[in-house]
Each structure stands twice: as structure tokens, then as C-alpha cells.
Amino acid sequence: MESLIQVLLAYGLFLAKTMTILIGIAVLLILAVRLRHGGHGGSEQLEITDLNQRYRALSSELKAFSLSKKAFKAYRKAEHKEEGPREGGTCRSQAALRHRVQRRHPGQRGRRAAGW
């Protein structure tokens, strides 16, 4: 009986050593693969997005909804003169803006209800 316990202990010790070696090799392989593919997968890159154009478009859409056609046309004309040399005149027409707004909110034209 005592020799069976010694055999089982020796076998358990063998399994523990083998698992330790296999886990060490697996960790080394994982580290090598991560280093080869650029460290943390490129998660430490800084991305810069210019938000000016987006907010100008949102502002124009809101003004298209809230102003009358005549007032909005005057606003766009003044805005176009102001941004002409600066941005190369990227100006949308009033109809294109109204089309975008109507596509988002079908069935509502002109001014919004006072609650919105």
C-alpha cells in the first residue's frame, strides 16, 4: 500500500512539473505573438477628428427648421461669404438641408412645435 502511495505521489509531482513547463511555454508563445503583432493591438493610437464641419452642418439644419425661407437664405448667403476663402465654399443649398431634415422627420414641414 505504501509503495502505491509513493507511485501516486511521484506521478502527481511529475504532472505538476509537466503542467508548469507547459504553462510557461504557452505564456512565452503568447508574449511572442503579441510582440510580433504590435504590442497592444494598436489601442494606444490617438485619433483626431475635426468636428467643426459636423457642428456647422447641424447648426445650419437647425436654422433651416427655425427660420423662415427668406431669413434662412439671408443667413446662408452671409455664411457663404464668411466661409468662402476659409473653407473653399462648401455650402449646401437650402433644399438639400430641408430634404435631410424631412427624411429624418417625415410629415413635418416648416417650423417645429414649441415643445421640441
Side-chain angles (χ1 to χ4, degrees):
M1 183 76 161
E2 203 166 298
S3 69
L4 181 63
I5 292 175
Q6 285 179 349
V7 170
L8 288 176
L9 276 173
Y11 184 65
L13 188 58
F14 166 75
L15 284 178
K17 288 179 182 180
T18 305
M19 291 303 292
T20 302
I21 291 171
L22 289 176
I23 289 173
I25 291 171
V27 167
L28 289 175
L29 287 174
I30 290 172
L31 288 174
V33 168
R34 284 187 122 192
L35 288 174
R36 185 175 295 178
H37 290 295
H40 300 314
S43 63
E44 294 189 20
Q45 292 180 353
L46 182 63
E47 183 178 330
I48 299 173
T49 305
D50 183 21
L51 298 175
N52 288 340
Q53 198 171 25
R54 178 178 176 212
Y55 288 124
R56 282 189 190 118
L58 283 172
S59 173
S60 292
E61 287 180 25
L62 287 173
K63 289 190 187 292
F65 242 20
S66 63
L67 297 175
S68 66
K69 286 184 179 184
K70 188 174 184 179
F72 180 70
K73 187 174 182 180
Y75 162 77
R76 289 301 291 166
K77 187 174 183 179
E79 185 180 64
H80 183 69
K81 280 184 180 179
E82 180 182 313
E83 74 182 20
R86 181 180 64 200
E87 303 227 1
T90 57
C91 179
R92 291 186 185 155
S93 69
Q94 179 181 4
L97 285 173
R98 288 199 187 275
H99 175 71
R100 280 183 67 189
V101 171
Q102 286 175 359
R103 194 173 65 215
R104 287 186 187 154
H105 308 287
Q108 296 182 3
R109 294 191 144 179
R111 293 181 171 243
R112 280 268 184 214
W116 189 72

